[in-house]
Amino acid sequence: MKRERTWINYYLQSTSGIVGAVLVLIMITLSLISAFGLAPHDPLEQNPMDALQGPNGTYWFGTDQFGRDIFSRSIDGMRRSLSVALLSVGLATLFGVTLGVVGGYLGRWIDNIVVRASDVIFAFPAILLALAIVNSLGNSWIDTSIAIAIVYTPIFIRVARGPVLSVKEMDYIKSARVLGYSSPRILGRHILPNVFAPVVVQVALSLSWAILTESGLSFLGLGTQPPDASLGLMVSEAQALAAFAWWSLAFPSIFITIVVIGLNLVGDGLRDALDPARRSTS
Amino acid sequence: MRSLISLQGLSIKTSSDGRSLTSDVNISLIEGEALGIVGESGSGKTLTALSILGLLPRGVEVASGEINFNGENLLSIDPERLRGIRGKEISMVYQDPMTALNPVMTVGNQLLEVLDCHNHDVKDPESHVKQSLIEVGIPDPDRALKSYPHEFSGGMRQRVVIAMSLLLSPKLLIADEPTTALDVTIQRQILSLVSRQRSRRQMSMLWITHDLGVVANLVDRVAVMYAGRIVEVGTTKQIFNSPQHPYTQGLLASLPVASSRSRNRLASIPGVPPKPWLVGQSCSFADRCQFAHKKCRESLPLLDARGTKSVACFYPIASSI
Amino acid sequence: MTLVIDNVIKKYPIRQSKSVVNALNGISLNISKGQTLGIVGESGCGKSTLARLIVGLESPTQGAITWRDNVLLRGSKNQWRNHLSPAQLVFQDPYSSLNPRQRIGECIKEVIVAHNLRQKEEIDSRVTELLKVVGMSEDMKNRYPHQLSGGQRQRVSIARALAAEPELLILDEPVSALDVSVRADVMNLLVDLRKEFGLTYLFISHDLSMVRHISDVIAVMYLGRVVELGTWDEVLDNPQHPYTKALIAAIPDHSQVGQMDLTVSLEGEVPSPTNIPLGCAFHVRCPIAVPNCSKMIPQLLPIKSSQSVACSEVVK
């Protein structure tokens, strides 16, 4: 019997998808190095003697005005950014998909409440809403994640609810009801698989937005607080130095760019691989 | 009698991988004649019709052949000239009356636009357009002109589409399954409308359908398409009363007859039609044919003219009736 | 009597326009075991609504549907939710009635597993048996629906319905979406299955020639009511209701080339179910209508032991 080609096979055919995955994997590896304390320097350690050095053998990305190693701080910032992104998008996916699927399938008043509530959240600009929530919750990375999760939940509601609404009207769902299948069975086996592809794509794209939002919050003085490192905070702090110490601004910015581009490429690759219509017919 | 339009050796392929969709289609119509093209989905009947007006969908193209209309090859003429012919000399009615009209424009404006596009000079366009609606049996034409398509039922919308296609008195009307989406009593009304207009205007007609009952009562001649080729052509009486191609015969035998009293088991054709590009040099029907011999699988039968009727079969069924 | 449909009314309120779609306006029909009831009518006559009510996809606004003296549906209570109904449905469109992500074998197996219809070790052989019953080979089990032709998909739909071991099969336009040359195959299969399993059919179609071919009794519907009911040969050979006559006359008949008189046709269109004419719903199009027809709704009354007509001009 011919082996079925899975979506992974299709994904691996796309060059941009592979490039994206490699970029993201590099960033994850660097974060893990930092998480296990294997960074070349302590990201918080100040060495006033070595302040504002350009990139060299000891300090690969140079140092900031306190003599802290920018490479170690960058990978620590990456770790923090990725953690916030993963937790916030994870929460948003969990709540958004659940609410979207349940609302879409059950319809009536439940759906009405879900849709109206997400419309309200949609009505605010994302960063302003996140700012307001972080302000009221606090500054820890978990608070930041919750704030971003609240902002992104309606996106997942929308992404999950759409396919549910269209699939619900298909004859094979009616047929499942006539055959006396239970609602959990219909939802789990016949409706959810249609939600999987768009949600996976949305997760990849939202992770990159979440990293930008976290950076933005830190840049604005919320989110991660000094002396802890965060990519956004590093960019913010480096502004004053950029004129004579380009490396302090350049490297954290490049990290943000790489991870965001990587996640976007992964999202595009997944979208192509998971959509049967985009696959070439074989 | 000279032919108004003739398709010669028309082959249509996909542009990307050259899959053959229709092969060597030859059709000709004389002025005032109605020809029905019958076939199942995928037989190439709609593509053949679309190719006449140069309206093939993206990714599909004419690979070879000629389409001669009034002495001009439509495949090689100037696009501006083709645009002038479309709608004016050859017009088309589609299957779905819901999407054939622009939903955000009144019916009156859509009809006037047809006159406008072809610089058609009439003294009083408003009354010309109104007259066209009266001819297709639309009650209260004044109100209809100011209405939007969604205010009409499917049958009424198809009448509007027909009025639009007859507006410039075309020489040829191409109809692609125009009654398939309609109820039978409405279909009947549209059929009588079309046949009345055709005889009044001495217009030629190409009627594409899968419904054998409709063509049996509407057209002068029938071409049967199967897997991208015409397998049999003849007068309507010949095709229905003494089909010679085993496919035509099998198709007719498989239909229950509404007026008959017998309820015998329906004759069926085993299998499904092949993809036209997978047929190659053999009879496309050989795999489903109860009369197939070795020869049928080794060479391609071509249309063989026998008087007014021709059949692409090595072993045609002798006229039995 | 196996299935009794007793004065069923179904209305769909439309919130935006504050109007009501009157899909069924008091339908009473019976089907006995082993019988095939054919329902014919044009769009808006309520034939598909009736199918959905019988299988419990929707509930009637009023009236009852009784199965072997058990009240199957009454008012808005549906007792078949999460239970296996003795009535199963085969849909018109074989392209949307199968889950595109489910292999054929899985699709049939799921019915058996969900309702514990067989011991675990018997399931696979049961799936094979069901496929064989509808004329498909075992190696189709691993195919996906998109790898099948329309006719094969419809066979799978039928096999899936049979997996539920129904007594009544509701066939809603089962061959209308199929290519002409495969319709006969599916029709023959349905005739064979009825005999083999002693099934009762409700065959719904707009195609009178298909209904004629398979039905014992034919009901002609117009705007949510039965206008004529009788054995298949009575209804077709000796139609009484003016609508039935018009419907029969409108069928393009391929066996009589050029015989159809295209100059005559039933005037007008089916009125909208949101705005049904008063009195007899057909009177606005009826060639034999008298003024009284717009005042009284004609009841379905017998003119013979087995044929009934709802027309006050015919039943006098």
Side-chain angles (χ1 to χ4, degrees):
Chain A
M1 204 177 77
K2 206 179 78 183
R3 237 186 85 73
E4 279 292 319
R5 281 154 62 95
T6 64
W7 60 272
I8 295 175
N9 297 93
Y10 287 101
Y11 184 88
L12 292 176
Q13 280 181 344
S14 106
T15 320
S16 60
I18 294 174
V19 170
V22 169
L23 293 180
V24 171
L25 281 176
I26 291 174
M27 289 300 146
I28 291 176
T29 315
L30 291 174
S31 312
L32 288 175
I33 288 174
S34 170
F36 289 114
L38 301 173
H41 300 272
D42 178 347
L44 298 182
E45 187 192 56
Q46 302 191 359
N47 297 301
M49 308 297 288
D50 296 339
L52 291 176
Q53 287 190 11
N56 58 54
T58 321
Y59 303 110
W60 301 337
F61 286 4
T63 58
D64 63 6
Q65 71 270 42
F66 305 111
R68 295 179 297 198
D69 177 31
I70 289 181
F71 176 75
S72 302
R73 283 180 72 74
S74 291
I75 63 174
D76 196 44
M78 177 61 66
R79 175 183 66 83
R80 208 165 260 118
S81 294
L82 281 176
S83 314
V84 169
L86 281 175
L87 181 61
S88 60
V89 173
L91 289 173
T93 310
L94 184 69
F95 289 110
V97 171
T98 311
L99 288 171
V101 169
V102 170
Y105 183 65
L106 295 180
R108 296 166 198 255
W109 61 272
I110 298 179
D111 194 36
N112 252 328
I113 293 176
V114 169
V115 171
R116 297 283 169 249
S118 59
D119 281 350
V120 168
I121 297 181
F122 263 128
F124 294 99
I127 191 82
L128 283 186
L129 185 61
L131 269 173
I133 301 170
V134 171
N135 241 334
S136 56
L137 285 177
N139 287 324
S140 80
W141 73 277
I142 292 181
D143 296 328
T144 311
S145 304
I146 291 174
I148 297 174
I150 292 174
V151 174
Y152 285 176
T153 298
I155 298 173
F156 283 92
I157 289 178
R158 191 170 282 192
V159 163
R161 186 174 165 269
V164 173
L165 286 184
S166 66
V167 169
K168 191 172 83 161
E169 294 308 316
M170 300 292 276
D171 282 347
Y172 69 84
I173 300 300
K174 290 185 198 151
S175 155
R177 285 170 59 199
V178 175
L179 287 162
Y181 294 170
S182 63
S183 289
R185 173 181 284 272
I186 295 176
L187 268 175
R189 292 183 62 120
H190 297 279
I191 291 183
L192 270 183
N194 296 286
V195 176
F196 177 74
V199 166
V200 166
V201 173
Q202 191 60 46
V203 164
L205 297 177
S206 298
L207 281 172
S208 71
W209 299 344
I211 283 170
L212 288 176
T213 309
E214 194 277 335
S215 300
L217 287 175
S218 304
F219 181 88
L220 293 169
L222 295 152
T224 312
Q225 296 299 310
D228 282 340
S230 136
L231 292 173
L233 190 59
M234 288 173 72
V235 170
S236 165
E237 287 172 343
Q239 274 190 316
L241 311 170
F244 48 90
W246 57 268
W247 54 89
S248 61
L249 180 63
F251 289 108
S253 306
I254 289 171
F255 266 37
I256 294 178
T257 312
I258 289 177
V259 74
V260 167
I261 289 178
L263 285 166
N264 272 303
L265 290 177
V266 169
D268 289 349
L270 285 172
R271 174 163 48 214
D272 292 350
L274 289 168
D275 183 355
R278 284 174 190 246
R279 296 175 188 163
S280 55
T281 44
S282 52
Chain B
M1 277 184 283
R2 77 193 184 94
S3 69
L4 174 71
I5 186 164
S6 73
L7 277 59
Q8 285 164 8
L10 192 74
S11 299
I12 299 173
K13 286 189 163 69
T14 59
S15 320
S16 54
D17 44 10
R19 286 180 180 181
S20 159
L21 298 172
T22 74
S23 309
D24 199 21
V25 170
N26 295 292
I27 290 173
S28 76
L29 257 95
I30 56 171
E31 278 176 29
E33 188 186 34
L35 174 76
I37 303 184
V38 286
E40 301 178 75
S41 52
S43 63
K45 57 188 193 304
T46 295
L47 288 178
T48 303
L50 291 174
S51 69
I52 295 174
L53 287 175
L55 296 173
L56 285 175
R58 194 181 278 257
V60 175
E61 60 190 23
V62 172
S64 62
E66 280 183 19
I67 300 174
N68 291 309
F69 178 75
N70 259 343
E72 286 177 282
N73 183 356
L74 295 186
L75 293 175
S76 57
I77 62 168
D78 176 52
E80 271 304 294
R81 173 81 189 110
L82 181 63
R83 208 169 62 80
I85 290 174
R86 273 186 210 157
K88 191 171 184 183
E89 295 178 49
I90 306 177
S91 64
M92 187 147 183
V93 178
Y94 299 90
Q95 173 173 356
D96 188 359
M98 303 293 164
T99 55
L101 294 169
N102 184 343
V104 296
M105 223 170 143
T106 62
V107 162
N109 282 336
Q110 296 190 51
L111 288 164
L112 287 171
E113 195 186 21
V114 175
L115 297 179
D116 218 34
C117 283
H118 291 276
N119 301 315
H120 193 78
D121 265 332
V122 277
K123 274 192 211 116
D124 184 359
E126 309 276 339
S127 71
H128 184 76
V129 159
K130 187 178 154 189
Q131 185 58 35
S132 75
L133 289 182
I134 295 171
E135 274 180 37
V136 297
I138 290 192
D140 200 353
D142 286 311
R143 214 186 70 186
L145 287 173
K146 295 192 194 80
S147 306
Y148 288 91
H150 73 262
E151 297 171 55
F152 293 93
S153 67
M156 283 298 153
R157 235 174 284 188
Q158 198 62 298
R159 283 172 195 263
V160 171
V161 174
I162 291 170
M164 195 183 273
S165 67
L166 297 179
L167 207 51
L168 301 172
S169 305
K171 296 196 178 83
L172 172 66
L173 178 71
I174 302 175
D176 184 12
E177 306 249 14
T179 60
T180 305
L182 304 175
D183 276 325
V184 276
T185 59
I186 308 303
Q187 163 170 289
R188 175 62 171 270
Q189 294 170 359
I190 299 290
L191 293 181
S192 50
L193 165 68
V194 168
S195 75
R196 209 166 48 235
Q197 290 293 330
R198 182 172 81 86
S199 55
R200 200 174 72 75
R201 294 163 184 263
Q202 291 293 302
M203 177 176 68
S204 301
M205 192 164 74
L206 199 58
W207 193 275
I208 288 128
T209 185
H210 69 273
D211 191 330
L212 292 157
V214 168
V215 287
N217 291 286
L218 188 73
V219 299
D220 308 315
R221 280 196 307 137
V222 176
V224 181
M225 283 192 82
Y226 184 78
R229 288 178 180 273
I230 292 180
V231 294
E232 187 165 6
V233 195
T235 65
T236 310
K237 274 213 161 75
Q238 286 170 335
I239 294 284
F240 283 89
N241 294 343
S242 54
Q244 288 183 12
H245 197 284
Y247 172 66
T248 316
Q249 198 228 19
L251 205 56
L252 286 168
S254 76
L255 297 173
V257 181
S259 57
S260 138
R261 295 226 44 176
S262 102
R263 291 209 293 178
N264 294 335
R265 196 175 174 77
L266 298 170
S268 70
I269 306 173
V272 290
K275 301 288 178 212
W277 58 90
L278 298 177
V279 175
Q281 287 298 307
S282 67
C283 173
S284 54
F285 190 60
D287 287 341
R288 303 174 76 189
C289 182
Q290 52 175 324
F291 309 112
H293 293 269
K294 194 158 163 260
K295 187 178 176 189
C296 304
R297 297 176 210 283
E298 286 166 355
S299 48
L300 178 71
L302 296 173
L303 277 185
D304 155 37
R306 297 179 180 179
T308 53
K309 177 167 179 171
S310 55
V311 55
C313 180
F314 294 122
Y315 308 100
I317 299 158
S319 308
S320 52
I321 310 164
Chain C
M1 290 295 166
T2 303
L3 180 78
V4 179
I5 299 163
D6 183 20
N7 199 21
V8 165
I9 293 172
K10 179 67 183 177
K11 295 176 193 292
Y12 297 96
I14 307 173
R15 218 184 300 163
Q16 287 92 342
S17 59
K18 295 215 163 62
S19 55
V20 173
V21 176
N22 298 288
L24 295 174
N25 302 306
I27 289 261
S28 297
L29 285 168
N30 305 317
I31 317 180
S32 327
K33 185 168 168 52
Q35 201 183 39
T36 296
L37 172 66
I39 294 186
V40 6
E42 299 178 277
S43 48
C45 77
K47 54 191 194 301
S48 291
T49 304
L50 187 62
R52 288 201 295 272
L53 291 181
I54 296 172
V55 296
L57 276 174
E58 285 168 33
S59 309
T61 312
Q62 211 180 303
I65 296 174
T66 325
W67 174 262
R68 291 242 172 88
D69 303 329
N70 293 319
V71 178
L72 192 62
L73 301 152
R74 185 189 287 283
S76 60
K77 282 200 190 96
N78 175 357
Q79 70 176 101
W80 295 110
R81 198 154 286 169
N82 295 330
H83 294 279
L84 197 50
S85 162
Q88 288 299 325
L89 180 58
V90 174
F91 291 84
Q92 170 176 2
D93 180 8
Y95 289 90
S96 86
S97 62
L98 299 176
N99 185 344
R101 296 167 194 270
Q102 204 172 28
R103 289 172 204 271
I104 301 314
E106 275 300 309
C107 168
I108 298 170
K109 189 174 164 184
E110 189 177 7
V111 184
I112 304 164
V113 174
H115 294 287
N116 289 317
L117 296 174
R118 285 286 187 284
Q119 300 290 322
K120 214 172 180 179
E121 56 276 9
E122 294 170 29
I123 292 176
D124 275 332
S125 62
R126 173 67 176 158
V127 173
T128 310
E129 182 192 334
L130 284 163
L131 281 173
K132 215 173 121 196
V133 159
V134 297
M136 293 180 75
S137 61
E138 191 181 356
D139 51 313
M140 293 286 173
K141 270 186 193 173
N142 289 316
R143 300 270 183 98
Y144 281 100
H146 69 86
Q147 296 168 307
L148 305 183
S149 69
Q152 287 173 319
R153 281 161 165 253
Q154 202 59 306
R155 285 168 191 273
V156 174
S157 284
I158 295 168
R160 180 181 57 187
L162 291 179
E165 297 167 19
E167 292 171 70
L168 171 67
L169 212 51
I170 294 153
L171 304 152
D172 189 1
E173 305 264 10
V175 298
S176 303
L178 303 180
D179 261 329
V180 184
S181 75
V182 297
R183 285 182 189 173
D185 264 342
V186 174
M187 287 301 283
N188 287 338
L189 173 69
L190 290 172
V191 171
D192 293 345
L193 292 175
R194 180 177 59 184
K195 202 156 136 202
E196 194 175 342
F197 298 103
L199 290 166
T200 307
Y201 284 169
L202 185 72
F203 187 96
I204 296 169
S205 180
H206 70 279
D207 186 340
L208 201 45
S209 60
M210 290 295 173
V211 171
R212 184 203 69 88
H213 182 76
I214 201 168
S215 309
D216 301 312
V217 174
I218 295 179
V220 181
M221 285 179 69
Y222 188 77
L223 280 174
R225 287 175 181 278
V226 176
V227 296
E228 184 156 3
L229 177 70
T231 60
W232 69 275
D233 42 352
E234 281 169 348
V235 170
L236 285 153
D237 294 348
N238 191 18
Q240 292 299 315
H241 196 283
Y243 177 64
T244 316
K245 289 180 182 170
L247 201 59
I248 292 171
I251 304 171
D253 189 343
H254 70 275
S255 70
Q256 292 170 330
V257 179
Q259 296 294 298
M260 192 162 139
D261 184 358
L262 286 172
T263 58
V264 290
S265 57
L266 184 61
E267 292 296 312
E269 307 206 335
V270 183
S272 158
T274 56
N275 193 11
I276 293 179
L278 290 173
C280 171
F282 187 61
H283 83 267
V284 289
R285 303 172 76 191
C286 183
I288 61 165
V290 294
N292 222 14
C293 293
S294 61
K295 294 182 187 116
M296 286 271 288
I297 297 178
Q299 296 303 305
L300 193 64
L301 295 171
I303 51 165
K304 272 192 260 167
S305 61
S306 53
Q307 191 174 9
S308 317
V309 181
C311 176
S312 51
E313 283 302 290
V314 172
V315 190
K316 263 187 174 165

